[in-house]
Amino acid sequence: MPEHTAASRLWLSGLCFLLQILNILLFAVFVRYSPESSPEQCPWQLNCSRRTQDSGFQQLRFQDAHMQVLLSFGLLVAFLGRYGPGSAAISILIIAFAIQWAVLIQGIFYFFFNGKIYVGAQSIVSADFCTAAVLISTGAVLGRVNPVQMLLLALLEVTLYSLNEYILLSLMGVSDGGRSLTVHTFGAYFGLMVSRVLYQPHKDKRKREERQDTGHQRDVFAVVGTIYMWIFWPSFTSTTTVHDNSENWAVINTYFSLVASTVATFILSPVLYEESTPRMVQIQDATLAGMAVMGMAGEMLLTPFGALIAGFLVGLISPLGFRFFTPVLHSRLKIQDTCGVHNIHGLPGILGALLGTLLTLLATADTYGDRLEFVFPLVAQGSRTVTYQALMQLSALPLTLLLAALGGCLTG
């Protein structure tokens, strides 16, 4: 982060105080425990039947999602040699605030009844997903904004993210269980547009030198973050899946995509960078890309070899993006992408959305069986054809890009 003056420290302290008091007051007025533990007392408007699960199962879902956000995403933005420890601290601050704000904003869309917001395990998991999108966006502007600006970014992005998610998942009926669109694509391009607005050519040379000053510290953070992603991300992509029997495909497909994208990095990196083995940060990037592409397609009938192909292709595209597209992004479009979120979240998210659209066209009751009701409920009910569902999946992509771009410009 930029150097802290006495005034900036007071701004941060004051803003944190005001935002926390605001959250406490809003929670006191609106937030109540969800009645999902007693379905017979649950009003039908809250749709508790779809959120009532075994408490142990829900706890595991929450642990996986929260661990992924805190230890994987949180560490991935802590690689700049000059700002590393500070970045880790600020990422935890962003997580702490964004979760509270997301519970409120998403609660208005999903869990609001009789003037109250009912929070349960699923609302906390949804808040973690929202926080992940915010952390992705901060990766695009890391080192060029101060903590106060980070908090303001989180304040606005959580609101716009929740709106985009509600439009896609509730109004349009899009299937995006692992959040290729709503987390990876939205978070990446929101952050990139903020970066574009904040572009300062006279500071460009110094910032490039700071980004190069990563040293051993970056590799340490990359090792820890990558290990946690390997452990927790496959279940992270299936966290929002409502029923147990529709979760396994997402876990299996994500694992296969993960391993294939990692192997692809060892194929391409020595060619592009003339190194005998890839650096740990390149493996980290491949891990992220391989799992981001499975966000939408993971719970669909991709087949194991299809997941391997998708992971392998995105594992090739991501390093090519760093090598050839990132310089163009900076020189022609004036976008400074500190963490390379375009290559590890944006492009894989778009590819995942396109892959999910293609797989939607192949969805039938014969191939999916009872799973069709959970993956494409409107198709299973007969109220929507497969072609129309695929059209909704595809149209969600430009809508997400538009909202991310407009929101990023406004925030910047």
Side-chain angles (χ1 to χ4, degrees):
M1 303 298 143
E3 291 82 357
H4 301 307
T5 63
S8 67
R9 290 196 299 270
L10 291 177
W11 269 106
L12 177 61
S13 176
L15 183 61
C16 287
F17 176 79
L18 290 176
L19 291 177
Q20 188 58 48
I21 293 299
L22 174 64
N23 280 331
I24 290 174
L25 292 176
L26 290 174
F27 267 67
V29 174
F30 294 107
V31 178
R32 300 292 183 269
Y33 290 122
S34 173
E36 61 186 4
S37 58
S38 302
E40 67 278 0
Q41 301 176 3
C42 182
W44 66 268
Q45 290 89 339
L46 289 180
N47 198 11
C48 292
S49 62
R50 291 181 60 83
R51 294 182 286 110
T52 303
Q53 304 288 334
D54 175 74
S55 59
F57 177 64
Q58 283 284 30
Q59 183 179 2
L60 290 175
R61 284 183 167 187
F62 164 72
Q63 288 175 347
D64 288 350
H66 197 59
M67 188 77 72
Q68 185 68 28
V69 169
L70 185 63
L71 290 176
S72 297
F73 281 108
L75 289 174
L76 294 181
V77 299
F79 68 86
L80 292 183
R82 188 175 179 186
Y83 306 129
S87 297
I90 295 304
S91 70
I92 293 176
L93 170 63
I94 297 302
I95 292 170
F97 167 72
I99 287 176
Q100 298 177 69
W101 190 240
V103 167
L104 289 168
I105 300 300
Q106 292 182 319
I108 295 174
F109 287 115
Y110 297 108
F111 310 109
F112 193 79
F113 176 68
N114 277 350
K116 302 298 180 184
I117 297 171
Y118 293 92
V119 298
Q122 189 58 44
S123 57
I124 302 299
V125 169
S126 297
D128 276 326
F129 270 89
C130 181
T131 302
V134 175
L135 290 175
I136 290 171
S137 298
T138 61
V141 296
L142 187 65
R144 294 185 292 119
V145 295
N146 59 42
V148 171
Q149 293 168 321
M150 286 279 199
L151 280 174
L152 294 176
L153 182 149
L155 180 72
L156 291 171
E157 184 172 3
V158 166
T159 305
L160 293 168
Y161 168 94
S162 301
L163 174 63
N164 179 68
E165 183 187 56
Y166 179 73
I167 293 174
L168 264 59
L169 304 186
S170 295
L171 300 184
M172 296 176 61
V174 173
S175 176
D176 188 26
R179 304 300 196 260
S180 276
L181 281 177
T182 55
V183 171
H184 296 283
T185 304
F186 184 89
Y189 289 99
F190 186 98
L192 289 173
M193 291 308 298
V194 173
S195 179
R196 175 63 183 88
V197 175
L198 296 180
Y199 179 73
Q200 296 175 304
H202 62 282
K203 294 184 178 181
D204 179 49
K205 183 177 184 298
R206 181 171 68 88
K207 295 304 177 185
R208 283 204 308 267
E209 293 172 353
E210 289 171 354
R211 285 195 294 271
Q212 292 170 355
D213 180 26
T214 56
H216 176 68
Q217 178 175 266
R218 180 177 189 179
D219 287 333
V220 171
F221 282 122
V223 169
V224 178
T226 302
I227 289 174
Y228 274 104
M229 283 191 291
W230 273 72
I231 295 172
F232 292 106
W233 199 299
S235 57
F236 179 74
T237 58
S238 63
T239 303
T240 58
T241 304
V242 176
H243 297 271
D244 295 322
N245 58 355
S246 60
E247 183 178 18
N248 291 336
W249 283 0
V251 173
I252 293 171
N253 289 335
T254 303
Y255 263 119
F256 287 138
S257 177
L258 161 65
V259 296
S261 64
T262 301
V263 172
T265 300
F266 280 83
I267 295 173
L268 201 54
S269 290
V271 177
L272 295 177
Y273 300 101
E274 298 181 353
E275 298 175 344
S276 57
T277 57
R279 288 177 288 116
M280 194 63 208
V281 69
Q282 294 170 335
I283 300 174
Q284 162 199 292
D285 294 339
T287 302
L288 277 167
M291 293 183 292
V293 77
M294 284 294 106
M296 179 181 290
E299 63 178 349
M300 300 179 187
L301 185 57
L302 181 59
T303 72
F305 81 89
L308 287 175
I309 293 174
F312 182 73
L313 290 177
V314 80
L316 296 176
I317 291 173
S318 180
L320 287 172
F322 275 104
R323 184 67 176 83
F324 298 108
F325 196 78
T326 296
V328 175
L329 201 68
H330 179 258
S331 62
R332 300 292 178 86
L333 301 179
K334 310 303 180 185
I335 296 176
Q336 300 164 301
D337 185 6
T338 307
C339 293
V341 298
H342 179 262
N343 303 307
I344 58 182
H345 295 286
L347 280 178
I350 291 176
L351 293 174
L354 296 176
L355 177 60
T357 300
L358 176 62
L359 293 173
T360 302
L361 290 171
L362 305 177
T364 65
D366 293 335
T367 56
Y368 277 72
D370 293 338
R371 293 177 57 91
L372 187 65
E373 179 184 353
F374 308 136
V375 182
F376 302 112
L378 296 177
V379 175
Q381 296 165 10
S383 59
R384 179 177 290 184
T385 64
V386 170
T387 303
Y388 187 71
Q389 179 68 38
L391 180 62
M392 288 293 101
Q393 301 285 131
L394 182 61
S395 60
L397 175 57
L399 178 59
T400 296
L401 293 174
L402 177 63
L403 289 175
L406 292 178
C409 287
L410 172 66
T411 303

